Structure formats: C-alpha cells, structure tokens
Amino acid sequence: MDSPEAVRPAAQDSVPSDPAQDSAPSDPAQDSAPSDPAHVPVLLDRVTELLGPACAADGAVLVDATLGLAGHALALLDAHPGLRLVGLDRDPQARAEAAARIAAAGHAGRTTLVPAVFDELPEVLDRLDLPEVQAVLFDLGVSSLQLDRPERGFSYAGDGPLDMRMDPGAPRTAADVVNTYPAADLARVLRVYGEERFASRIASAIVRERSRAPFTNTERLAHLVRESIPAATRRTGGHPAKRTFQALRIEVNDELGALRRALPAALDALAVGGRLAVITFHSLEDRIVKQTLAAGATDRTPPELPVRLPEYGPVLRLLTRGGEAPSEAEVAANPRAASARVRAAERTRRAA
C-alpha cells in the first residue's frame, strides 16, 4: 500500500459524472448505457439517509472504501459540513477524477485519498491514527470510469485489451487467466463467479482456441463465448458474454476474497452508533454481506442457558429489511442500477 494522498486538482477526463456499476447475471449493465450520462450514483438518496445520522456530528469520519468517482461521498460531504472523508481506491484514474471533483466542490481540506484495496482498511486507519470511524460505505462493482473505457478491458460491448485490472499495476490480467488456467480451473471460475450454466463448454472452447493463438482482446473472447452458447439461450438474457466477463473480473481482482476480509474489519472499526452500508450488484456479493451482518445482529448466548447473557448479545442493529432495491424510476433512468441492493447496519455496542 502506498502513502495516503492529499486531495488536489486533477485533469478532468471525458467520463460520466458518477459511478455506474457492473452487471450481474440478471443485470443489463453493459447491454444498456444510462439514458443520462450525468445520472446520480446508485441508491444515492437511500445511502445518504442510512449513513446520515452517523455522519452528522462535527469530526465524524466516513470511510468510502470504494471511492470510484466519489458520487456518494460528495453528497455526504455536502450534507454534513463537519464530516471528514477517507477515500480508498486502487485505481489511480478513479482517485485522480475523484480528487478533481472533491476539490471543485470545496471539500479538499476534509478529505484524504488512499491508494488501497478495501481489505487494507485496518492498515489505512492505523496509518491515519484513526482508532474508530463513524461510517463506512462499500459500493461494489465496476465504475463507469472503468466500464466505459475500452482500454481498461472490462466491457464486451467494444474491443480493447483483455485486462480487467482495477489496479492497472497489479500483476495478473484477464488475459493471463484466459491463456494459462487449465480448463477445469477456467470452468470453476465461470461457474462459481459468473453463475454460468455453460462454463465447461466455454472453458473447453477457450483452451482449444488459445492453442492456436493467445487471447489478447475482449472482442475475440466475447465472440467465442457467444458462439459457445446454444442459439436458443443467446436469444434471451442480454449479452451471452456478460457472465464470463463478470467471472473473469472477479477472479482477476479477488473481489469476493477482499470483501470477505474487508467486511469484518470495517465493522470492527465502527464506533458505537456508527453505521455501515454496502451496495451489491450480484447474488455472490449480497450473500456475503447478508451473512456477515446477520451474524453481528444475532444473540450468541448458548441455547442451554436460561437467560441471555449481555456479553453474547448482538453488536449490530440491521437498518434495512433484506437487500433494498432501487426504485422503478431510478432503474428507468439508469439501467445499470437494476440489480443493485443495499444493506446497512448500526453498531450498538463493542464486542466483549
């Protein structure tokens, strides 16, 4: 992990103004562009409502663990003049764009940006001498800064290098996975991370074709996946390659592993009364969040004891009923929000 960055103006890039997130198996994220490129971040109003009480006090600290283009963070900074932001993002382009937006809004003096993956949260807070924070936000998936730029290699909608690294300096690309994994490992990645029914069929086709020439670009891979899926299946459910591309992205960036490590660390960092909100975009992420929050909200008193013991009581209070979805109006304005769900919880006491 590198050192924290002070917020400073950065050159503006020609990108949509706020994060638009990645597809899930049921989400047309890459198939349909937002109707308005200046759309607000996914579930913006609900997130600011959920985190607002924890951000209201002077000196409160919000950790945006997936800063992206800083849409949610800017809304919370605007709403709470005493709030301090710590923004984490492994993508240098995202940090530069976020820095420019934050500086333009006049919030640079209250913001620290850190080049880090969100599972590095404990080390980040230790280096910043922050023993606890009041709010943590995770907005998972891929931002439009990544998805809408073919050179980043995330999208099957256009041609680009087969990359998919959220951190461009990371050692492993999607091309490395596609060209070196044995067929069985490729099928596992596609089946588990992409929930792809035809994982073995696609993996076999990849291994066969890469023996002729390595895969280097997204268009060739997307075409191969399309041809590997039965014609009847191709006619429904959006682009045939969306599950494969999601699976490769998750594998390249260790997204689920990082989430499993990061959530307990984020909850441990919350002060009593602090709040955490997580926006997910597919069932694999949502399942991890649901299980982690449910565990913290459950009384663990041994069932054979006649009374509940305070030290075994819940440490969290759930703030949402299940995973809350965006409104129909929001999905109409931004189809990429269709599969988004938000879950949130408040810390009620320190663990014994």
Side-chain angles (χ1 to χ4, degrees):
M1 186 189 72
D2 297 323
S3 300
E5 302 169 340
V7 174
R8 57 184 180 278
Q12 290 281 354
D13 293 312
S14 176
V15 298
S17 65
D18 287 303
Q21 300 300 326
D22 178 53
S23 63
S26 60
D27 178 39
Q30 298 193 52
D31 301 328
S32 302
S35 59
D36 178 3
H39 66 279
V40 297
V42 171
L43 290 160
L44 178 65
D45 291 342
R46 186 59 174 139
V47 167
T48 54
E49 178 185 16
L50 287 166
L51 295 183
C55 296
D58 285 348
V61 176
L62 162 69
V63 175
D64 189 333
T66 51
L67 183 67
L69 300 179
H72 295 95
L74 279 169
L76 287 161
L77 286 168
D78 286 341
H80 304 288
L83 180 65
R84 176 182 173 187
L85 169 68
V86 176
L88 279 60
D89 206 296
R90 70 178 94 182
D91 187 333
Q93 292 183 5
R95 293 197 310 275
E97 179 69 15
R101 292 167 184 246
I102 291 166
H107 301 315
R110 296 192 278 139
T111 299
T112 302
L113 302 188
V114 185
V117 185
F118 47 70
D119 63 350
E120 297 177 88
L121 179 61
E123 293 86 354
V124 170
L125 297 183
D126 184 63
R127 294 182 64 171
L128 296 176
D129 195 25
L130 291 171
E132 60 182 23
V133 300
Q134 282 65 49
V136 180
L137 170 64
F138 291 86
D139 181 5
L140 304 173
V142 178
S143 78
S144 56
L145 180 66
Q146 298 159 338
L147 192 62
D148 295 339
R149 293 186 175 182
E151 68 270 20
R152 298 301 298 274
F154 285 93
S155 177
Y156 44 75
D159 197 22
L162 195 54
D163 194 317
M164 300 192 194
R165 292 173 296 176
M166 292 183 179
D167 176 0
R172 181 176 60 181
T173 68
D176 295 327
V177 174
V178 168
N179 291 317
T180 66
Y181 277 29
D185 288 343
L186 271 176
R188 172 187 56 79
V189 168
L190 302 186
R191 185 180 305 109
V192 174
Y193 295 159
E195 300 178 287
E196 173 57 70
R197 285 192 297 153
F198 302 101
S200 295
R201 190 168 176 167
I202 295 168
S204 295
I206 288 173
V207 171
R208 181 177 62 250
E209 288 301 312
R210 78 188 186 192
S211 68
R212 300 173 184 173
F215 284 87
T216 60
N217 66 311
T218 57
E219 187 175 59
R220 181 185 171 207
L221 178 62
H223 177 75
L224 176 70
V225 173
R226 182 181 184 87
E227 294 303 309
S228 301
I229 291 177
T233 303
R234 294 201 301 263
R235 288 193 285 269
T236 61
H239 198 293
K242 65 184 177 182
R243 293 176 178 84
T244 292
F245 273 60
Q246 172 185 288
L248 291 173
R249 192 204 77 223
I250 291 173
E251 174 73 5
V252 167
N253 297 289
D254 188 28
E255 293 176 32
L256 299 184
L259 182 60
R260 290 188 185 96
R261 295 186 294 271
L263 278 179
L267 292 170
D268 286 346
L270 283 181
V272 174
R275 294 186 170 199
L276 173 138
V278 186
I279 302 173
T280 63
F281 288 83
H282 56 75
S283 59
L284 302 175
E285 296 169 339
D286 187 60
R287 190 176 305 125
I288 293 170
V289 177
K290 176 183 178 180
Q291 292 172 350
T292 302
L293 297 188
T298 299
D299 188 286
R300 296 176 294 108
T301 299
E304 65 272 14
L305 295 181
V307 296
R308 292 183 177 181
L309 300 179
E311 62 268 29
Y312 287 97
V315 297
L316 298 178
R317 177 174 69 92
L318 301 182
L319 301 173
T320 52
R321 299 186 65 178
E324 295 185 5
S327 67
E328 292 183 3
E330 180 172 355
V331 173
N334 176 16
R336 288 177 176 173
S339 66
R341 300 292 184 271
V342 63
R343 294 179 185 269
E346 180 182 72
R347 175 168 284 283
T348 55
R349 68 176 184 87
R350 301 305 307 178

